[in-house]
Amino acid sequence: MTEFVVAIPARYAASRLPGKPLRLLGGEPLVLHVARRALQAGAREVWVATDDTRIADVLDGLDEVKVAMTAATHASGTDRLAECARIAGWADETVVVNLQGDEPFAPAAGIRAVAQALVEGEAPMSTLATTVEDAHTLFDPNVVKLVRNVRNEAMYFSRAPIAWHRDGFAHSRDVLPDGHRWLRHIGIYGYRAGFLQQFAAMPPGQLEQVEALEQLRVLEAGFPISVAISPEAFPPGIDTPDDLARAEALLQSMAAR
């Protein structure tokens, strides 16, 4: 198995769900669920990069998880993880998996897959995708879609429904036309620690600013991103109170099985 570390950015002041890492899911803070998922995946090290001592405090009971207290001024999770990597002292070749702090159901196989995609591909960065199952998801601007080439590298990420099925959508936008598989982006990334520092130092690109998608900075700068299909279902993360309610219902249904 590929050796990797997991870094979890956990900012307290999330705009759509303030205090998100500490919101309760099944009676426990969300960040605890995410950290346990990283441990289950077999990471060599698991770090939580945060800007708030309240988040650090709830992790005291997980001895295997380390906390990096990072600046509150970081503009993005990538900047926060770059500081975490410096605090941890990772060598440039270390495989780092960026597991978002709002992914309490991230499957262990998916976390390992993004690390494996980085090692097996030629791109300096990797991520995951899964199949879009319905037209509502495809047309939802909160769901990021992507297209990839024959080398399984991303060609583009967008909030728009790409690729646009000219004939099919001229007829109806209520169902997915036959003959094409659309992909939903899963917001988990892999990179070497050295490239993480390079990524954080890049100026934001125009495409990134238009779509509000940080990964477009890498593509616009001319670097490829390997895209693997998640080997298991990878439920969407939690961004809003409604997402948290759905996650609670999912957790209860899993417990009842």
Side-chain angles (χ1 to χ4, degrees):
M1 186 178 73
T2 298
E3 185 178 86
F4 63 95
V5 301
V6 170
I8 302 167
R11 181 172 68 103
Y12 183 83
S15 58
R16 286 186 286 179
L17 194 61
K20 180 165 59 173
L22 299 181
R23 294 292 183 114
L24 298 183
L25 177 62
E28 293 185 307
L30 186 61
V31 68
L32 275 179
H33 292 272
V34 181
R36 289 194 190 106
R37 290 283 176 167
L39 291 170
Q40 291 165 7
R44 186 191 80 200
E45 299 174 26
V46 176
W47 285 71
V48 173
T50 187
D51 59 352
D52 196 290
T53 56
R54 288 169 291 184
I55 295 172
D57 289 344
V58 302
L59 292 161
D60 277 347
L62 282 182
D63 294 336
E64 308 96 323
V65 176
K66 301 176 183 179
V67 175
M69 295 304 302
T70 54
T73 54
H74 288 309
S76 69
T78 301
D79 295 335
R80 192 172 306 284
L81 291 198
E83 183 182 0
C84 176
R86 294 191 294 270
I87 292 171
W90 293 325
D92 284 350
E93 289 303 305
T94 303
V95 175
V96 181
V97 173
N98 174 353
L99 177 61
Q100 303 297 319
D102 57 7
E103 298 280 3
F105 302 114
I111 297 171
R112 290 192 293 267
V114 77
Q116 195 67 26
L118 179 72
V119 172
E120 293 180 350
E122 297 181 0
M125 184 168 166
S126 63
T127 191
L128 295 184
T130 191
T131 302
V132 172
E133 300 292 347
D134 57 78
H136 173 76
T137 299
L138 184 67
F139 282 89
D140 184 348
N142 295 311
V143 177
V144 179
K145 281 72 62 174
L146 66 91
V147 288
R148 59 180 186 164
N149 61 27
V150 295
R151 295 188 300 276
N152 294 328
E153 295 171 350
M155 298 171 66
Y156 194 65
F157 299 84
S158 182
R159 298 181 183 279
I162 55 173
W164 183 264
H165 198 296
R166 185 193 66 174
D167 296 335
F169 293 145
H171 176 69
S172 172
R173 299 183 188 180
D174 296 325
V175 296
L176 294 178
D178 294 332
H180 184 73
R181 180 173 72 156
W182 282 267
L183 296 177
R184 170 176 71 84
H185 179 228
I186 297 169
I188 181 173
Y189 301 99
Y191 15 59
R192 304 280 182 180
F195 185 75
L196 171 59
Q197 300 298 331
Q198 187 177 353
F199 180 9
M202 294 177 192
Q206 291 186 352
L207 295 174
E208 172 188 358
Q209 295 177 69
V210 168
E211 295 255 21
L213 297 174
E214 192 180 19
Q215 65 270 33
L216 288 175
R217 184 188 312 181
V218 175
L219 294 186
E220 194 168 3
F223 296 98
I225 300 175
S226 293
V227 181
I229 301 300
S230 180
E232 293 183 15
F234 208 119
I238 296 172
D239 286 320
T240 67
D242 287 344
D243 293 339
L244 187 58
R246 282 192 291 271
E248 188 70 45
L250 177 58
L251 188 67
Q252 291 178 9
S253 69
M254 293 168 63
R257 291 174 189 168

